[in-house]
Structures are given as structure tokens and as C-alpha cells.
Amino acid sequence: MNNSKNKQGKVILIGAGPGDVGLLTLQGKHWLQKAEVILYDHLVNEDLLRFTQKETEVIYVGKKEGVATLDQEKINSLLVEKAKKGKVVVRLKGGDPFIFGRGGEEIQAVKQSKIPFLVVPGVTSVTGVAAYAGIPLTHRDLSSTLSIITGSNEKKQGDIHIDWERIASRTGTLVFLMGARKLPLIAKKLMKFGKSPETPIAVIQWGTTARQKTWKGTLSTIVETSSKEKISPPALTIIGEVVNLKPEIEWYEHLPLFGKTIVVTRKGDQAESMIDRLRELGAEPFFFPVIETVEPNDWAPLDEALNHLSRYEGLIFTSVNGVQFFFKRLKEIQQDIRNLKGVRIFTIGPKTADAVRDLGIHVDVVPENFVAESLIESIGKENINGKRFLIPRATVAREVLPEKLREMGAQIDVAPAYQTILPSLKSDTLAKRLQSGDIQVLTFTSSSTVKNFLALTGESLIPEIKKTRIACIGPITAKTAEDAGLTVDIIPKEYTVSSLLDAIEDYYKA
């Protein structure tokens, strides 16, 4: 057990990037996984917090529309206080912490308190948002200089500390951060000090996320556009001839699922491939794992089976979880994997089969359709009368498989290998996104994900959930959703996660 009194604390200042979780650096992810305390800002994508340990203390210290949760001095004190207790403290800031992020001030406070620190740079919104908007900030024929200017350094209402005459005289690209509310002032000052009213300008809101939106115009037209469209923070403003390259270079906004936020309800360690594929398609995955798998309350039935594996004709795995917990327990009670010699392996679904094969074990039967009924049909082609099978599975599961096999004359032992429980998960952010219409698709990969999702979100959100597209991995999951009063819009022909994502893509293409 760690004794924090004997351990020296430290502070890790990390740039979280401009919004897309995929833009977090590997070093940033490494320290998030080791963090014992995290202080994060308003513009940090909360999905990054899934990389943390379960017991990590997470503290929100963000500022929204000028209102700070904690002032800067208190944030500095909190960093010092937590580090002095021997904690690994991560300060997570949007974009890059040294580009108008006050990261320098925080590190100065940490340094003065003689606390060790590290700095992990982030993809700044300047480069990240511009790239996702399809606007190169420099170009050999159009711009060889780049100026980065803050649009929110206020001395008094309506004033920004900028040498407007000098800035307006520059021929390269100008980028204003945090300047959405000052757009009329910025345009007015630049034109007053000599910038052509026809100078191209682009304003990008919520860059690198599914909510990204770009408005183009000129210095003389953008204020009217801003007023009409009610452009609000967070937004990045790019001024210069490079803006005209957007139609040639834009890519993100043309991806098949761009603009779609899709909720992933799968268990954490099984969701990564799904999340990665959604990002490739241009969607913004919203990670909301509604299932947690833990050990069963009683190992006795499974231990009895593991101690007598030779009695079984076949071993039937219905999920990846079943495979993982079965072999973990086999090792814990010091049984030999060679005891499976002669025992046939049946699995439902290719991922379950792959989990077995990854252990170097041959899988004898994978049914054509990835549901229990299809496995029953496959086994039914054999004479199983009097033969004994073991099904290691969740404590609570559908009974159709063991019941039908027993009707066919087989002896079936069902042994709980794990149980699924509701995780301690806050649904506040999800609720806000649903209520504002920012969620386009809810995905469910099992009946348990449907039931747990509804249990976690509560009845008050049912009207918003019903306005959202529902995608289910197969007919069993879809029936559970429909029985709960939901309308299922998308079901793939093949009951796999990959096919589910294909079906979502096809749905929006159509």
C-alpha cells in the first residue's frame, strides 16, 4: 500500500488538444493513466477522463463565458496543496497550455513551492482547428507569416490590448483566439488601420468536434453574418488569403458521419475499436459505458466445473467477458489449461471466437448468425443426447440456450463466471447534450446496455431519447429496446459491432 507521506508529489501540465480526443498526445495519455488528482478546464473534452484510474480524484476548475469556478490563485494553491500530499497531480488544459492558457503562471506557482513538474505540450487550437477546417495557415504563394492574437485580453469592456496598426499592416495570416464576442471590434479595428474590407475571414466554432461549423466572409461582411448566425464561443477566427483554399482542402466536414455525435454504451475495455472507427468516419463518440463486469458472488459452481473439465463434451462461450473471466479463474485456482484437451469449444460471435483463439485454443463451432438460436441450430445437427456441456456466462442471462439444449437431451451446467452491474456514472453531461439535440445516435450492443442505460438516465430523459436515432446490434437487443417503448431505427444484417457501424454509415448515406 502506497504511503503518500513518503512519496514526493509532482504536477504534470498537459495540453488536452482542441476537442477531438484523438488529438491527445501519447505522453498526455500516459500521465492521465497515472494521475491521482486531475484539475481540468471547461473546454477539455470530458471523454479524456476515461483514460484515468477509477479512484482518481477529478476536480472541475473551468471558466465559462467569463465566470470562473475557481480564480487562478485558488487553482495554483490547489495544485500545490495536492502535490504536497504526495500526489501525482495532472493539470489538464484545452489546446496547448502555453498558448494563452495561463500554463506559465501555474508552473511558476508550482516552481516557487519547490514541487517537481513536467510539461506535456498539446495540439493547439490554432493548428488543430485550422487543419480540421481545411485551412492551411501558411502557403508558399499566399502567406509566409503567422500571427496568433488573443481576442479576450480585456482591460475594460470593449478594449483589447493590441497594437492594431501594426497587426493590420501584416501581410500573412492572422489568427484570433477566443474572439467570437469581439468580432465586430476586430473587424472594425483592422479595417480602420488599413486592412482591405475584402480580406477573407473564417470563423470556426467547436473545431475538431462533431459540432464544428465554419462561416466564411470578408472583414466587411462577417459582422452581419455573426449577428445573423449568433456565433458564440468557443470559436477561432482566421484572417487572410489562405481562407480561400478551404474549398480545395477541406476534408473533415466531408466524412460520412461528420456532425454526428454517437453514444457508445459498451464496457470500457471493449469500446476502443468502436470509438476509433467512429472517429475515422468523422463522428464524435460520446463514451457512456453502462455496464461494469465484476466477479460473481459465488465461485463455487464454476470452480466445481473447472476441477472436472474432462466430464464435458463441449464448452460454450457466449461473450468475450465469459472467455476472460473463465480463463482468469482457471489460472487463479491453478488448474492446467491442458485439461481442456478433447473438450470442443463453441462460441457465439466472431469477437468471442477471437478471444479464445488469442489464447492459442482452437474453436470448433462459430454459428452463421451470432445469436444463441443460431448456435442451437448448429449443435442440433449433431446427436447431443446424453452429452454434457458447460456454459460459463453472466449471472443473469437469457435462458433460451440451456433450455433448448436440455430439450434436445443434453446435460447442461450453467456456471456464473461474472456478473454485470450498474457503474457509478454521472449522466449530467449526457442529459444536457440530449436536451440540446446534440446527440444523434444511441448504440446498444446487448439487452443489458439498453436496460442499464435507461436505469442510469431515468424517466425524465425518455422524451429526448425517443427523439434520438437508436441503433441495436441485433434483433434480441432491438426487442429489449422496443419493449421499453423505444423505436429502433438501425439493425445490421450481421450482428457484430463492425456491421453495426456500417449500418449507421449506410443509414446516413441514404
Side-chain angles (χ1 to χ4, degrees):
M1 183 173 159
N2 265 340
N3 186 345
S4 60
K5 289 182 180 177
N6 300 325
K7 189 177 73 168
Q8 186 178 31
K10 57 186 163 188
V11 171
I12 319 296
L13 180 64
I14 299 177
D20 183 348
V21 172
L23 296 180
L24 178 72
T25 65
L26 291 175
Q27 184 80 323
K29 182 179 178 182
H30 166 78
W31 284 109
L32 282 179
Q33 291 169 331
K34 296 185 73 171
E36 294 168 287
V37 181
I38 293 177
L39 281 67
Y40 74 101
D41 283 344
H42 170 59
L43 290 180
V44 168
N45 188 333
E46 290 188 359
D47 197 22
L48 289 170
L49 301 179
R50 67 189 169 88
F51 298 130
T52 64
Q53 303 172 72
K54 194 174 180 180
E55 61 275 12
T56 299
E57 182 183 4
V58 178
I59 305 169
Y60 174 72
V61 295
K63 181 171 74 172
K64 183 179 180 182
E65 297 181 352
V67 179
T69 307
L70 293 178
D71 62 36
Q72 190 60 56
E73 288 69 26
K74 288 181 180 176
I75 293 173
N76 296 349
S77 298
L78 196 54
L79 288 170
V80 170
E81 175 194 330
K82 295 293 183 180
K84 282 186 173 179
K85 291 180 179 178
K87 304 287 187 181
V88 175
V89 183
V90 161
R91 178 69 175 105
L92 191 61
K93 302 177 77 69
D96 181 274
F98 283 175
I99 304 291
F100 299 119
R102 304 189 75 169
E105 298 171 45
E106 294 177 357
I107 290 302
Q108 283 178 310
V110 170
K111 174 79 171 178
Q112 286 166 9
S113 298
K114 298 181 179 178
I115 293 169
F117 64 89
L118 294 172
V119 178
V120 180
V123 175
T124 172
S125 59
V126 176
T127 54
V129 172
Y132 273 54
I135 300 174
L137 295 175
T138 62
H139 188 280
R140 186 170 60 174
D141 299 326
L142 301 174
S143 174
S144 59
T145 63
L146 171 65
S147 301
I148 303 169
I149 309 137
T150 177
S152 66
N153 184 18
E154 300 177 7
K155 182 179 180 182
K156 59 184 179 181
Q157 191 65 30
D159 186 31
I160 308 177
H161 295 285
I162 293 174
D163 184 342
W164 290 106
E165 186 173 6
R166 183 170 293 180
I167 290 295
S169 67
R170 294 182 182 176
T171 57
T173 306
L174 307 180
V175 177
F176 283 85
L177 299 176
M178 304 167 287
R181 300 194 189 285
K182 300 293 185 189
L183 202 51
L185 176 67
I186 292 168
K188 177 183 175 182
K189 290 284 190 180
L190 289 176
M191 288 189 289
K192 177 183 176 181
F193 286 97
K195 249 329 177 199
S196 168
E198 298 306 310
T199 304
I201 182 170
V203 182
I204 305 108
Q205 184 185 58
W206 288 110
T208 79
T209 75
R211 291 178 280 175
Q212 176 173 307
K213 193 168 183 179
T214 304
W215 294 271
K216 283 175 58 185
T218 64
L219 285 178
S220 63
T221 65
I222 197 65
V223 173
E224 183 181 348
T225 301
S226 175
S227 176
K228 182 181 175 183
E229 298 289 336
K230 296 181 172 57
I231 300 175
S232 60
L236 181 99
T237 302
I238 303 174
I239 301 170
E241 296 301 321
V242 291
V243 169
N244 289 332
L245 294 175
K246 178 174 170 59
E248 295 179 54
I249 297 176
E250 60 188 5
W251 59 276
Y252 182 54
E253 294 164 18
H254 295 297
L255 293 174
L257 293 182
F258 169 73
K260 308 295 183 290
T261 298
I262 298 177
V263 175
V264 176
T265 55
R266 297 198 89 193
K267 190 165 78 82
D269 59 356
Q270 294 173 3
E272 287 303 318
S273 61
M274 186 174 182
I275 288 170
D276 290 344
R277 173 82 190 286
L278 284 171
R279 279 209 203 93
E280 288 172 9
L281 292 169
E284 179 185 1
F286 187 104
F287 185 53
F288 191 74
V290 299
I291 286 181
E292 187 174 340
T293 53
V294 296
E295 296 179 352
N297 293 330
D298 183 10
W299 281 116
L302 183 60
D303 287 352
E304 166 65 18
L306 292 175
N307 287 319
H308 300 90
L309 287 173
S310 60
R311 67 168 67 145
Y312 294 105
E313 164 73 17
L315 179 58
I316 301 173
F317 290 110
T318 60
S319 70
V320 172
N321 290 322
V323 174
Q324 292 171 342
F325 278 90
F326 176 89
F327 286 100
K328 180 172 177 281
R329 187 60 180 172
L330 187 74
K331 183 178 180 180
E332 285 173 350
I333 64 172
Q334 299 183 334
Q335 280 293 342
D336 197 325
I337 198 170
R338 288 174 293 186
N339 292 338
L340 286 171
K341 184 179 180 182
V343 180
R344 299 179 71 205
I345 307 294
F346 302 78
T347 66
I348 295 177
K351 291 295 183 184
T352 308
D354 289 344
V356 175
R357 293 183 185 119
D358 287 346
L359 296 167
I361 299 170
H362 176 70
V363 176
D364 295 275
V365 178
V366 182
E368 186 175 342
N369 293 316
F370 312 131
V371 291
E373 288 79 355
S374 187
L375 181 60
I376 292 165
E377 185 181 341
S378 298
I379 295 178
K381 295 173 183 176
E382 308 173 15
N383 179 14
I384 61 171
N385 187 45
K387 294 179 179 177
R388 195 166 187 172
F389 294 82
L390 172 64
I391 306 178
R393 65 172 202 185
T395 304
V396 178
R398 295 173 69 220
E399 294 299 328
V400 62
L401 181 60
E403 286 177 358
K404 288 293 183 182
L405 293 178
R406 287 184 185 119
E407 288 174 11
M408 293 160 63
Q411 297 180 54
I412 304 297
D413 291 345
V414 175
Y418 65 97
Q419 59 180 321
T420 61
I421 61 172
L422 273 175
S424 53
L425 201 61
K426 292 181 180 178
S427 60
D428 300 0
T429 303
L430 176 66
K432 289 175 185 174
R433 296 288 296 271
L434 280 168
Q435 288 161 351
S436 62
D438 282 340
I439 301 289
Q440 281 69 46
V441 184
L442 300 172
T443 63
F444 298 111
T445 53
S446 68
S447 292
S448 296
T449 58
V450 177
K451 293 172 183 174
N452 287 11
F453 181 86
L454 294 174
L456 284 165
T457 52
E459 289 186 12
S460 63
L461 282 178
I462 290 293
E464 278 71 28
I465 291 169
K466 286 184 175 180
K467 295 174 189 172
T468 309
R469 298 289 177 262
I470 306 292
C472 292
I473 198 168
I476 306 300
T477 305
K479 186 177 186 306
T480 304
E482 287 163 353
D483 288 347
L486 305 181
T487 299
V488 177
D489 304 278
I490 302 165
I491 306 174
K493 293 178 181 177
E494 202 171 86
Y495 313 142
T496 66
V497 170
S498 179
S499 295
L500 177 63
L501 298 180
D502 288 341
I504 294 172
E505 182 181 355
D506 291 342
Y507 178 88
Y508 280 104
K509 278 181 180 176

